Each structure stands twice: as C-alpha cells, then as structure tokens.
Amino acid sequence: MPDVVVVGSGPNGLAAAVILAKAGLSVEVYEAEFGAGGGSRTAELTLPGFQHDVCAGAHPMALASPFFRAFDLAAHGVELLTPEASYAHPMDGGTAGVAWRDLERTVEGLGGDGAAWRSLFGPLVPHWEAVVDLAMSDLRRPPKDLLTAVRFGLRTLEQGSPLWNTRFQGDVAPALLTGVATHAITPPRRIPAAGAGLLLGTLAHAGGWVIPKGGSQAIPNALIAELERLGGRVHTGHRVDSLGQFDDARAVVLDLAPAELLRIAGHRLPDRYAKRLRGFRYGGAACKVDFALAGPVPWQAEGLDRAGTLHLVGTRAEAMAAERAVAAGQHAERPYVLSIQPGVVDPTRAPAGKHTFYTYAHVPNGSTRDVSEAVITQVERFAPGFRDLILAKHVYTAAEMPSHNANYIGGDISAGAMTLRQFAFRPTARWNPYATPIPGVYLCSSSTPPGPGVHGMSGLHAARHVLRQRFGITTDPSDLLRKR
C-alpha cells in the first residue's frame, strides 16, 4: 500500500498527487473511468478526426492559478494557444461586445461605456496575481494585497446588487460582463457570480483564456507524466466502492463530490457530518452539445471569428431571465449557451477546413431533455447559416453527465451550487474544509474551496494539510512544485 491514495483523476486530484509525490511520498491514483482527466478529457465524440473537449474547453486559470504558475504547463510540454479575443458576446442586429486581451482595445470597442469598463477592470488587471491569489485561496487567511482585495470586493458588491446597472449607459457592455458572470450557473446578480465574472474578466485582459493545443486532455496528461516520473501510478477503470480497501494507506485524498464520499464512506462518518454532507446543495446543470462543422461559424458581428469563447443569450435582462428559470427548475425558451471554437487557434482539432464547436446550455439539475435544438436556434440567432454547416452532433443531457463524471451530480459541472454560503463553506462549515472526521481522509474536489474551474488549487490546499498533519512536512507546496 502506498503512502497516499488519491481517488479521482481530475485536475485537483492530480495536482494533489503530484505535490505529494514531489515531497517524496509514494502515491497511487484510482480513477473509475477508463480515461484519466476528469473534466479535462478530450475525445472523438462526433466523427473520426474531430477532437472534442468533454467538459472544460477554455482555461483562464491555466496561466494564472498559483498551482499552474508553479507547475509550469509549458515546461511540461503543453502548448497553450491564446485567442486574440478571450470572449465575446453577440447581440441582435449584428453587434457584439468583444473582450480582447488588450484592455484598451476592448474599451475602444465599447463606445460610450468604454470608460466605465476601464474604471471597472483598470485597477484590477495590473494586479491580476493578487486578484487570483485572493480568489484561489482557501478563504481562511487574510489577503496579501489588502488594497486590491478591497477594490475587488467593492466591485463584486456593486455587480452583485441592484447597483449593477449604475455604471453603464448602453446594452453591450453590461451584457458582456453578465455573460462571463453567468459561468457560475446561477442568476448573475448574485455575489458569487459577480465575483466569478470579475475574476474571469480580469484574466481575459491580463493573459487571455488559453486553449491547449490538441485538447484539454493535454493538461492531465502532463500531470500524469510528472507523477509517473516521480514513481507514482494511475489506475483507470477502477471504481472505488469502499474506503476500507485503503485502510493501510497513511492518507487518502478524495477528488470526489460529497455524494460520492457518502457512497463510499457513509457508515464511517459521524452522523452530524454525514447529515451536513447530505444537505450540500447541487446547482443548475449543463446539457453539453458538441458539433462537427463543415466550416467556421458564420458570425454576423465583426471580431467574433477571433474569440475563443462566446456567450450566447442576448441582453443582460435575457441572461437574468434565463438563469432565474433554471434556478426555478424550468427550461428557458432561450437558454444561456456557452460556446467555444478552438479552431480559431488550433487547427489540429478537426480535419483540414473543418471545425469542432463546443456548446453547453444551462438547464435544471437532473434534466433529461435534449436541448440541442434550442442551442442551434441560439447560435443561428447570431450566426445565420450555422445549421447548414452541421455534419454531426453529440449530446450529453444533464442526467447523463454523471455517466462520464460521477462528481457532476444531476449535471452540475460546478460540483455544488454557487450560493453565498457554499462559496465560503464548501462542503460544510469547518475551519479545515479539506479534512474529514475520518483520520487521514481528505477532500480535494471542486466541492471544496476555491470551487469550480481547472486550477488545481483545491488539490494544492488539501495536499498542504496532508503533508503537515500526516507526514510532518511543512514545505510550501508551491516550492515543492518548482523543484525539478
């Protein structure tokens, strides 16, 4: 039995595994699926030669998170491609807001609301590392840069309150901001959504939202290669049904949602803790629709053909209405659709001249509905002729999501509702959210702080506790990662 067993091979589980192996411990990872990577896998979902990202497609945190800054994906062979525009938001009538990597270029494109955009992001972009360190912390320590934390906090309060429209005069800039805030799959005028939008918006202008060449699978592949170089192993196709099989390990780290922890260890958990886990709320879900296209999407508005990510919903009011419907357990007639076109920077994703197109629509948790027709209609709204380019499509309904990732309860790709309480207290209200009441057993999934995203930080925070509490190693995990 190794020193440490990690269950789940998503980015957080692999991040913890690499850090622990860097500390000189023997580590083995167990993954239920036959392919490792969790939400960062890539597969031929539609036609041969078309490489689709199964969940995560664009990666704002791949350059920015403290874990990846220390690990250095590029040094491990991952080629990160940066679109000229991080994200865009088309509007009816052939206009659009475009978040270029260059903040001033974005400001120029927003006309009368350009100055408001600059005042919102101008103080944050030069201090993006402080913004990331604040947002990616375990939320249990004071911020290192208090001034940036105050600036970020005030802007989050503004955009998460009825004041959110006071800054802007037109429709495009607020829609552009709302589109990125709605990544949280919760009504965008809430504190967690506003914070997510400001974080992602800052990174859009600081370094861009990168797309890994060949697919998101390149990220877990790099982590696995480093783990194996250090002597670790990854076992795929091995579903864990009981923690008892790892009783001889000195530590067990679980990249699992609370429901999965209850499944494999419920009888060993104290009643009070188990009750809290059962009360953990799962949020709105995604219906994932992938397309193989005969050519690029024929966007109406200028600049959209250079954006890696697009948010298709229309005005700020339309986004709010769509997310309120999902929160009420209803399907929006015009849903929020997030789309990614990796072909703007990566021609390897499809045969020559053809393209892959990634979309998901927000739907109620547990939805069995195939909403691909609603997705196509939303794309056609801003790109007439899109339907004629479709060669094939592949659909995962929300109810089918757990079939390829058990952490996506009911199709919740955030691994827990992004409420204000669950933003800070994931999965329960404990000073150390990573340690469970079972000695030596820790959680490191997106159901722990700092929450969803491909950043590896939940794994890093959990690994820090494992090293100190189980092995007496106090070296900072980032310093371990930088060791070659």
Side-chain angles (χ1 to χ4, degrees), residues 45-46 52-57 286-293 297 299 308-312 335-342 356-362 370-380 386 390 392-397 401 413:
L45 297 177
T46 54
H52 299 272
D53 290 322
V54 176
C55 186
C287 176
K288 179 78 159 42
V289 187
D290 287 283
F291 298 94
L293 301 179
V297 179
W299 302 109
T309 302
L310 299 101
H311 307 127
L312 313 179
Y336 172 92
V337 176
L338 184 147
S339 65
I340 299 173
Q341 42 188 15
T356 62
F357 190 59
Y358 163 125
T359 73
Y360 67 69
H362 291 176
D370 174 352
V371 299
S372 57
E373 187 56 39
V375 168
I376 293 170
T377 299
Q378 279 289 63
V379 180
E380 278 267 337
F386 169 76
I390 299 172
K393 70 178 180 181
H394 176 275
V395 180
Y396 276 124
T397 67
M401 283 283 189
I413 59 176

Side-chain angles (χ1 to χ4, degrees), residues 266-278:
H267 67 286
R268 302 175 65 174
L269 295 168
D271 290 343
R272 186 176 181 184
Y273 183 79
K275 181 179 180 180
R276 289 177 177 174
L277 290 184
R278 284 191 288 270

Side-chain angles (χ1 to χ4, degrees), residues 102-338:
D102 184 336
L103 175 60
E104 287 305 313
R105 185 178 180 183
T106 306
V107 167
E108 291 173 8
L110 291 175
D113 276 333
W117 194 267
R118 183 192 293 114
S119 70
L120 185 66
F121 285 106
L124 301 179
V125 172
H127 305 284
W128 66 267
E129 289 187 49
V131 172
V132 169
D133 290 346
L134 172 68
M136 292 291 105
S137 74
D138 62 3
L139 308 179
R140 302 300 188 272
R141 294 174 177 81
K144 297 176 183 178
D145 184 337
L146 184 58
L147 178 58
T148 298
V150 169
R151 287 171 171 164
F152 183 82
L154 289 175
R155 285 162 171 77
T156 299
L157 289 173
E158 172 198 304
Q159 290 302 310
S161 76
L163 298 174
W164 74 335
N165 274 323
T166 57
R167 183 180 293 267
F168 302 110
Q169 301 300 315
D171 292 329
V172 176
L176 183 65
L177 181 58
T178 303
V180 69
T182 309
H183 280 234
I185 318 186
T186 192
R189 204 181 73 186
R190 289 184 180 174
I191 295 296
L198 289 169
L199 169 65
L200 296 175
T202 297
L203 294 178
H205 302 306
W209 294 7
V210 298
I211 294 174
K213 185 177 181 179
S216 295
Q217 187 73 53
I219 294 175
N221 285 355
L223 293 168
I224 291 167
E226 179 65 2
L227 176 63
E228 291 176 342
R229 185 186 73 82
L230 296 166
R233 297 176 61 192
V234 178
H235 306 272
T236 57
H238 187 117
R239 180 182 172 87
V240 174
D241 290 314
S242 173
L243 274 183
Q245 68 187 91
F246 305 127
D247 281 347
D248 291 335
R250 295 177 66 184
V252 179
V253 183
L254 306 174
D255 187 1
L256 301 177
E260 284 293 285
L261 172 58
L262 285 165
R263 180 181 66 82
I264 67 173
H267 67 286
R268 302 175 65 174
L269 295 168
D271 290 343
R272 186 176 181 184
Y273 183 79
K275 181 179 180 180
R276 289 177 177 174
L277 290 184
R278 284 191 288 270
F280 184 76
R281 289 178 54 197
Y282 296 95
C287 176
K288 179 78 159 42
V289 187
D290 287 283
F291 298 94
L293 301 179
V297 179
W299 302 109
Q300 274 187 313
E302 184 179 352
L304 302 191
D305 57 340
R306 286 168 281 176
T309 302
L310 299 101
H311 307 127
L312 313 179
V313 70
T315 65
R316 170 170 268 189
E318 287 180 281
M320 177 66 87
E323 294 304 288
R324 281 177 170 165
V326 170
Q330 302 167 358
H331 290 85
E333 182 178 350
R334 283 183 160 186
Y336 172 92
V337 176
L338 184 147

Side-chain angles (χ1 to χ4, degrees), residues 183-186 190-193 196 281-284 412 414 416-423 426 446 450-452:
H183 280 234
I185 318 186
T186 192
R190 289 184 180 174
I191 295 296
R281 289 178 54 197
Y282 296 95
D412 176 4
S414 297
M418 292 300 292
T419 64
L420 185 58
R421 175 180 174 80
Q422 287 193 176
F423 170 72
R426 295 169 74 88
S446 295

